[in-house]
Amino acid sequence: MTILIAGGGIAGLTLGLTLHQIGVPFRIYESAAEIRPLGVGINLQPNAVRELFDLGLEDHLERIGVRTKMLGFYSKFGKTIWEEPRGMDAGYAWPQYSVHRGELQVMLHDVLTERAGPGCIVTGARAVGFENTENGADLLLENGERVEGSMVIAADGIHSALRAQMYPDEGEPIWNGRILWRATTPAKDYFGGGAMVMIGHDHLRLVAYPISDPDPESGVATINWIAEKQFNLDDAWRKEDWNLQADIDSFLPLFRDWKFGWIDAPELISGAEAVYEYPLVDRDPLPQWTFGRVTLMGDAAHPTYPVGSNGASQAIIDARVIGARLLEHGQTPAALQAYESQIRPITTAVGLANRKGGGPDAVLQRVEDLCGGHFDDISEVIPHEDLAAHAAKYKSIAGFSIEELNAKPPIIPPSATR
Ligand SMILES: Cc1cc2nc3c(=O)[nH]c(=O)nc-3n(C[C@H](O)[C@H](O)[C@H](O)COP(=O)(O)OP(=O)(O)OC[C@H]3O[C@@H](n4cnc5c(N)ncnc54)[C@H](O)[C@@H]3O)c2cc1C
């Protein structure tokens, strides 16, 4: 009774670790020939960090991640709109981490193969479809192989082949006109370290956060940054590819004047070794993820704009909830239905909030609209209580409000783990 997982990204690997932890046989089929540390920075919210700690990865995270201590929003003139503590500084019982996505993926892979043996992941194996059978579900691979399993879980990302089988008319991800340029640069850390900053507005923006601790002597850290610009929707479509390299000169001039003492955008952008270009895309929320003994998770289920820093975190939560519902219902379609009933409404709300300006970053455009980013006292533009309420609302929608999370019992009871 082996559970077959398509995709060995953050979602698939965390599911593998969870199934191993609760003693359920599984195998991951990953299309890449090997797991390589691709991508740039991502954030792990305290709700997801709690789950990784419950998987025994506390020391590993401490080694590869930086504790995020503060999130701040600034106008295009570098003026402070809103700053809030994050992670344990905000009162969570678990930290928030900024990590390199590739290092996280490699760490999860290495720990999983150490614990469950190298045979638990088959690389160079592209899933192309699934079939529900009388007592289980089969995974169909590109090489013509049919693998028999007890159930199939699609963790194959935004271009999920299994989702495409469920929804053959869905087409490509939906572009909202924004292009992201993503990179890391060694640069002087700012605000005492661990600070994630969002500067600008919907049409031009810079997001930055360190993914390494600063060197004690020089103060230089690896700063992850994302520069964003809004284009016309009828501009040429650029196919999304996480590894497409961009030309710095095509956007550097836009940020020429963004030098605020604590951060110097032109210097940050010019100092990058390689910049990757990615269109901001998502997909419409789906009415159903589970078909018999097959379901979707992670970006295959709910790809959304990364404005609230919770794509990877949600993939981790999905994995843990699947594990919990399997414990409750056994390897049955009811377990997958119960997982979907719990998670789909949350990710639908988050995806729509991110689209409709309900994300935490929405204050940037609001300030731009109200005063063009010029102000002496932000409370004369937007009352402090409004800013605080907006920040709290998103955390609640996304499932990481401080009091609720701290009070929640673990998703997987320690008594169920081996
Ligand atoms: C190469 C890469 C770089 C990324 N870089 C960033 C980044 O810099 N910043 C950011 O915010 N997010 C990035 N992401 C996305 C981010 O990892 C996800 O949004 C989030 O972590 C959810 O993870 P996931 O496992 O659902 O999806 P993903 O992380 O996309 O993982 C999906 C996995 O499935 C594999 N796969 C795809 N199709 C098939 C198939 N048909 N059969 C078998 N396996 C398949 C992929 O190779 C991948 O390993 C990146 C994703 C990838 C794949």
Side-chain angles (χ1 to χ4, degrees), residues 5-13 28-32 35-43 100-102 104-105 122 125-129 139 141 154-162 180 182 209 224 226 241-243 276 278 297-304 306 309-316 318:
I5 304 167
I10 311 301
L13 294 169
I28 297 174
Y29 294 84
E30 162 61 44
S31 59
I35 306 273
R36 289 186 301 128
L38 300 174
V40 287
I42 54 170
N43 258 260
H100 188 285
R101 177 204 174 270
L104 174 66
Q105 189 184 11
V122 184
R126 178 174 292 280
V128 290
L139 184 64
L141 301 180
D156 51 344
I158 190 166
H159 294 288
S160 169
L162 306 197
L180 315 183
R182 306 152 37 248
Y209 53 89
N224 180 77
I226 303 142
D241 171 352
W242 286 109
N243 301 309
Y276 299 95
Y278 197 81
M297 73 179 298
D299 277 6
H302 44 71
T304 178
S309 314
N310 59 339
S313 299
Q314 186 60 52
I316 291 165
D318 291 0

Side-chain angles (χ1 to χ4, degrees), residues 163 167 284-291 295-296 301-302 314 318 321 336-352 397:
R163 175 174 171 136
Y167 295 93
D284 287 330
L286 293 178
Q288 188 179 347
W289 295 345
T290 304
F291 293 82
T295 198
L296 306 173
H302 44 71
Q314 186 60 52
D318 291 0
V321 170
L336 301 185
Q337 286 291 353
Y339 144 74
E340 177 181 335
S341 306
Q342 185 175 341
I343 299 294
R344 197 167 52 74
I346 299 170
T347 57
T348 298
V350 169
L352 295 177
I397 296 174

Side-chain angles (χ1 to χ4, degrees), residues 141-215:
L141 301 180
E142 195 180 40
N143 65 4
E145 204 183 320
R146 170 187 285 267
V147 192
E148 289 178 17
S150 56
M151 33 183 58
V152 168
I153 310 224
D156 51 344
I158 190 166
H159 294 288
S160 169
L162 306 197
R163 175 174 171 136
Q165 179 178 336
M166 293 173 183
Y167 295 93
D169 299 327
E170 190 182 22
E172 291 296 314
I174 303 162
W175 186 42
N176 78 347
R178 274 195 228 172
I179 292 289
L180 315 183
W181 293 281
R182 306 152 37 248
T184 59
T185 301
K188 205 130 184 116
D189 210 345
Y190 47 87
F191 295 161
M196 179 174 194
V197 296
M198 297 196 183
I199 312 163
H201 46 79
D202 282 359
H203 298 270
L204 196 63
R205 167 183 309 195
L206 184 78
V207 178
Y209 53 89
I211 54 170
S212 81
D213 286 322
D215 176 78

Side-chain angles (χ1 to χ4, degrees), residues 20-365:
H20 176 260
Q21 189 186 38
I22 60 173
V24 173
F26 70 94
R27 188 160 294 133
I28 297 174
Y29 294 84
E30 162 61 44
S31 59
E34 57 174 325
I35 306 273
R36 289 186 301 128
L38 300 174
V40 287
I42 54 170
N43 258 260
L44 296 175
Q45 300 294 346
N47 58 339
V49 170
R50 176 185 190 174
E51 296 310 317
L52 296 180
F53 281 15
D54 285 356
L55 280 166
L57 302 175
E58 190 164 346
D59 292 345
H60 301 76
L61 278 178
E62 200 56 35
R63 184 172 46 77
I64 62 169
V66 169
R67 290 183 179 221
T68 313
K69 298 188 186 119
M70 195 272 267
L71 170 65
F73 296 92
Y74 309 85
S75 79
K76 64 176 186 269
F77 300 110
K79 290 177 172 272
T80 307
I81 297 169
W82 173 255
E83 289 179 338
E84 63 180 28
R86 299 294 282 204
M88 294 178 91
D89 288 36
Y92 287 104
W94 300 272
Q96 173 175 339
Y97 281 103
S98 298
V99 286
H100 188 285
R101 177 204 174 270
E103 283 185 34
L104 174 66
Q105 189 184 11
V106 167
M107 182 274 278
L108 295 172
H109 169 269
D110 291 352
V111 174
L112 181 61
T113 49
E114 216 171 84
R115 290 182 185 175
C120 71
I121 303 180
V122 184
T123 49
R126 178 174 292 280
V128 290
F130 65 83
E131 198 175 305
N132 273 294
T133 58
E134 205 175 330
N135 296 312
D138 293 352
L139 184 64
L140 313 178
L141 301 180
E142 195 180 40
N143 65 4
E145 204 183 320
R146 170 187 285 267
V147 192
E148 289 178 17
S150 56
M151 33 183 58
V152 168
I153 310 224
D156 51 344
I158 190 166
H159 294 288
S160 169
L162 306 197
R163 175 174 171 136
Q165 179 178 336
M166 293 173 183
Y167 295 93
D169 299 327
E170 190 182 22
E172 291 296 314
I174 303 162
W175 186 42
N176 78 347
R178 274 195 228 172
I179 292 289
L180 315 183
W181 293 281
R182 306 152 37 248
T184 59
T185 301
K188 205 130 184 116
D189 210 345
Y190 47 87
F191 295 161
M196 179 174 194
V197 296
M198 297 196 183
I199 312 163
H201 46 79
D202 282 359
H203 298 270
L204 196 63
R205 167 183 309 195
L206 184 78
V207 178
Y209 53 89
I211 54 170
S212 81
D213 286 322
D215 176 78
E217 272 167 34
S218 64
V220 169
T222 304
I223 307 292
N224 180 77
W225 57 264
I226 303 142
E228 293 181 31
K229 179 173 159 35
Q230 178 81 42
F231 287 83
N232 288 325
L233 270 176
D234 48 11
D235 279 1
W237 163 259
R238 301 179 213 196
K239 176 91 182 132
E240 70 281 0
D241 171 352
W242 286 109
N243 301 309
L244 183 68
Q245 291 219 12
D247 173 14
I248 288 181
D249 293 329
S250 66
F251 64 96
L252 176 61
L254 302 168
F255 295 90
R256 193 180 49 220
D257 301 326
W258 291 32
K259 300 177 184 185
F260 308 126
W262 47 277
I263 204 163
D264 183 323
E267 205 174 278
L268 197 61
I269 294 169
S270 315
E273 261 180 32
V275 179
Y276 299 95
E277 185 175 294
Y278 197 81
L280 193 56
V281 288
D282 70 354
R283 288 186 181 277
D284 287 330
L286 293 178
Q288 188 179 347
W289 295 345
T290 304
F291 293 82
R293 291 171 180 271
V294 182
T295 198
L296 306 173
M297 73 179 298
D299 277 6
H302 44 71
T304 178
Y305 303 148
V307 295
S309 314
N310 59 339
S313 299
Q314 186 60 52
I316 291 165
I317 299 298
D318 291 0
R320 302 297 283 168
V321 170
I322 291 173
R325 300 293 81 86
L326 287 170
L327 282 170
E328 214 169 78
H329 300 277
Q331 292 187 43
T332 62
L336 301 185
Q337 286 291 353
Y339 144 74
E340 177 181 335
S341 306
Q342 185 175 341
I343 299 294
R344 197 167 52 74
I346 299 170
T347 57
T348 298
V350 169
L352 295 177
N354 287 351
R355 249 188 208 179
K356 291 182 189 154
D361 61 324
V363 288
L364 294 174
Q365 187 58 38

